[in-house]
Amino acid sequence: MDTLLTLLNVVVLLLLIGLLVIMHRKNISFSKRVFAGLGLGIAYGLILHFVYGVDAQVLVDSVGWFSIIGSGYVKLLQMVAMPLVFISILSAFTKVIIGKNFGKMAGLILFILVGTTAVAAAVGITSAVGFQLDASQIVQGDAEMQRGEDITAKSADISEKTLPQQIIDLLPANPFLDLTGARSSSTIAVVIFAAFLGFAYLAVKRQDEKTADTIKVGIDAIYALVMGVVKIVLRLTPFGILAIMAATVATSDFGAIYNMGKFVIASYVALFVMFIVHLLIVTASGLNPITYVKKVAPTLLFAFTSRSSAGTLPLNIQTQTNRLGVSEGIANFSGSFGLSIGQNGCAGIYPAMLAVMIAPSVGINPLEPSFILTLIAVVAISSFGVAGVGGGATFAAILVLSAMNLPVALAGVLISVEPLIDMGRTALNVNGSMTAGVATARVTGELDKDVYNTETSQELTEI
């Protein structure tokens, strides 16, 4: 009987996918199909959840089959992520103006990314204090205890290393190994390696224009090839989101979410405040924030459901160039840098809130000015090298808690609501990199305001 019910659930999912295929054949826009996939996934997930119950074997088996589409889609995103990061940074050097504008551009992007992370830490601290969050008051079950042990094991190597050693680990001793994503700091290592090649290209361009032109042709060709693969993967987005949301909602422990409701609410309050900070930056740049929200909404929705900043990179860059009018060089830099530097949600708000929650359990007053200032500084410094895929927030938390001499095991108490909060964190991370790109383009004069202000701008993907 269970087998038949599992088969029935899978058939229903395939029928919903067929509905999305019909929408595609009727030339319904990509953005609307993504929203449709999200809505259908949530609705189907709720039906499965209330019909079978979260622990039913039928549901476990059904979600296992759903993962072929959902998890398979995420795997494909991860497949293209590292090559795209590498070629995006490298091609950015062939698209920017050499000279004073280049240094100004890179400096502004980094300043905004790291600066907003420091602000995010302050917002996270304020939210945690305002909601009176205390990790010692949270009951830990078996899953939370196991997660705490895993986090403690992960932190062992990190805590044994000094800050200078951790910084050295960011450097790519073997860039080909880092291109496989083998290390937790592989993303920033690939960015650094690509930047070295980019500066080498600029040196060649100053000395030998003809050779530089040949190199540029090769880089552009590889970029076009990688983007071709990206476009193929992105065509699967509505189907992937449908399967991911159906599985996530169906297996969510609503009871645990209710019990941890105060932390979830505090987290989303902090995330919302930081989103407003981003809009204030856009407004301060002389741009209409409402137009900005309309243009970036589909990309943020994708980041929210996929929980992958790296997977969202193609849409991030396309949104900046096609819909916001940012030059290609700045879009590539801000999008790629935003994967590993200054992630406001994962590296800013989350570790800061955890530190404030955990501090009372070891007798530290989180309201001490010295504790707050130290925490903000540590969060900003530690934000370099946070991975742009699932798990980046955990890595950032380990770094911050270890640096603050706080027990990392208590971070395991949040495992039951981790996916729910990670959705908002990822969307904020992506929005931070797009904000940095738009603001930088505006300051350097490389923003096409006609494209920005046009209501009917180009679709995210030409599919």
Side-chain angles (χ1 to χ4, degrees):
M1 185 65 179
D2 284 358
T3 302
L4 290 176
L5 290 174
T6 299
L7 180 61
L8 175 63
N9 295 336
V10 173
V11 169
V12 171
L13 181 71
L14 293 176
L15 290 175
L16 294 176
I17 290 175
L19 179 60
L20 294 175
V21 172
I22 293 174
M23 293 176 66
H24 172 56
R25 289 178 177 174
K26 291 186 175 181
N27 296 319
I28 295 176
S29 71
F30 175 76
S31 300
K32 290 180 180 178
R33 281 182 279 132
V34 170
F35 276 101
L38 174 67
L40 290 172
I42 292 175
Y44 187 39
L46 286 172
I47 292 172
L48 293 174
H49 180 91
F50 289 112
V51 169
Y52 297 108
V54 70
D55 296 322
Q57 187 60 44
V58 174
L59 186 59
V60 173
D61 294 340
S62 299
V63 168
W65 285 101
F66 292 0
S67 66
I68 294 178
I69 299 172
S71 299
Y73 173 67
V74 174
K75 289 277 189 182
L76 293 177
L77 288 175
Q78 294 171 342
M79 174 190 74
V80 302
M82 208 62 83
L84 185 58
V85 170
F86 173 76
I87 197 62
S88 293
I89 288 290
L90 187 53
S91 65
F93 280 87
T94 69
K95 295 179 173 70
V96 297
I97 302 172
I98 301 175
K100 184 185 298 183
N101 212 36
F102 175 81
K104 184 178 182 181
M105 176 205 68
L108 271 173
I109 291 173
L110 291 174
F111 175 77
I112 294 172
L113 289 173
V114 178
T116 52
T117 301
V119 174
V123 170
I125 292 170
T126 303
S127 183
V129 171
F131 280 87
Q132 298 179 333
L133 300 180
D134 188 344
S136 62
Q137 298 175 355
I138 300 175
V139 178
Q140 299 186 51
D142 292 339
E144 287 78 10
M145 293 293 288
Q146 182 60 49
R147 174 66 181 276
E149 292 175 5
D150 293 342
I151 291 176
T152 301
K154 284 183 180 181
S155 68
D157 291 337
I158 295 175
S159 60
E160 292 174 359
K161 295 180 180 180
T162 64
L163 182 58
Q165 289 174 326
Q166 293 176 26
I167 293 174
I168 291 173
D169 281 346
L170 299 179
L171 300 177
N174 184 348
F176 299 102
L177 175 67
D178 288 317
L179 281 168
T180 68
R183 301 188 302 143
S184 58
S185 57
S186 284
T187 303
I188 187 64
V190 169
V191 169
I192 292 172
F193 177 58
F196 268 96
L197 291 179
F199 283 116
Y201 163 80
L202 295 180
V204 171
K205 187 174 180 65
R206 284 192 294 267
Q207 299 170 6
D208 189 344
E209 189 81 25
K210 186 175 181 180
T211 299
D213 290 341
T214 302
I215 295 173
K216 184 180 184 304
V217 169
I219 293 173
D220 290 344
I222 296 174
Y223 183 79
L225 183 63
V226 171
M227 288 305 297
V229 176
V230 167
K231 188 174 292 187
I232 293 173
V233 175
L234 288 181
R235 288 175 179 170
L236 304 175
T237 298
F239 316 128
I241 286 179
L242 167 62
I244 290 171
M245 292 308 299
T248 300
V249 174
T251 57
S252 291
D253 187 345
F254 294 149
I257 293 174
Y258 175 79
N259 292 333
M260 291 289 293
K262 188 160 74 167
F263 179 79
V264 174
I265 293 172
S267 297
Y268 272 92
V269 166
L271 292 170
F272 178 75
V273 170
M274 271 311 299
F275 184 73
I276 296 300
V277 171
H278 292 168
L279 294 184
L280 290 175
I281 294 174
V282 172
T283 303
S285 302
L287 300 170
N288 188 330
I290 297 177
T291 300
Y292 173 86
V293 172
K294 290 179 179 178
K295 297 291 184 77
V296 304
T299 301
L300 295 185
L301 171 64
F302 176 79
F304 184 85
T305 51
S306 69
R307 295 168 52 199
S308 173
S309 298
T312 312
L313 180 60
L315 293 181
N316 184 333
I317 294 174
Q318 286 191 20
T319 297
Q320 290 192 58
T321 54
N322 295 347
R323 297 170 71 84
L324 297 174
V326 178
S327 66
E328 289 189 23
I330 291 177
N332 285 331
F333 265 113
S334 63
S336 300
F337 280 174
L339 292 183
S340 54
I341 299 172
Q343 292 198 338
N344 291 181
C346 290
I349 289 174
Y350 183 67
M353 291 185 68
L354 279 184
V356 171
M357 289 175 61
I358 293 172
S361 68
V362 292
I364 297 176
N365 181 5
L367 295 178
E368 284 287 336
S370 58
F371 176 83
I372 293 175
L373 292 176
T374 302
L375 178 58
I376 292 175
V378 168
V379 167
I381 295 172
S382 300
S383 68
F384 285 82
V386 176
V389 294
T394 300
F395 178 67
I398 291 173
L399 286 175
V400 172
L401 296 178
S402 298
M404 298 293 292
N405 293 318
L406 295 172
V408 299
L410 285 178
V413 302
L414 306 174
I415 184 174
S416 58
V417 293
E418 182 73 12
L420 177 62
I421 299 171
D422 195 41
M423 291 178 172
R425 290 194 309 238
T426 305
L428 185 68
N429 295 339
V430 172
N431 194 64
S433 67
M434 290 193 290
T435 299
V438 169
T440 299
R442 181 66 171 144
V443 172
T444 59
E446 295 186 51
L447 181 78
D448 189 331
K449 290 196 69 175
D450 291 335
V451 173
Y452 184 94
N453 292 319
T454 300
E455 290 292 333
T456 56
S457 52
Q458 187 175 347
E459 259 292 323
L460 287 179
T461 51
E462 297 174 4
I463 57 177

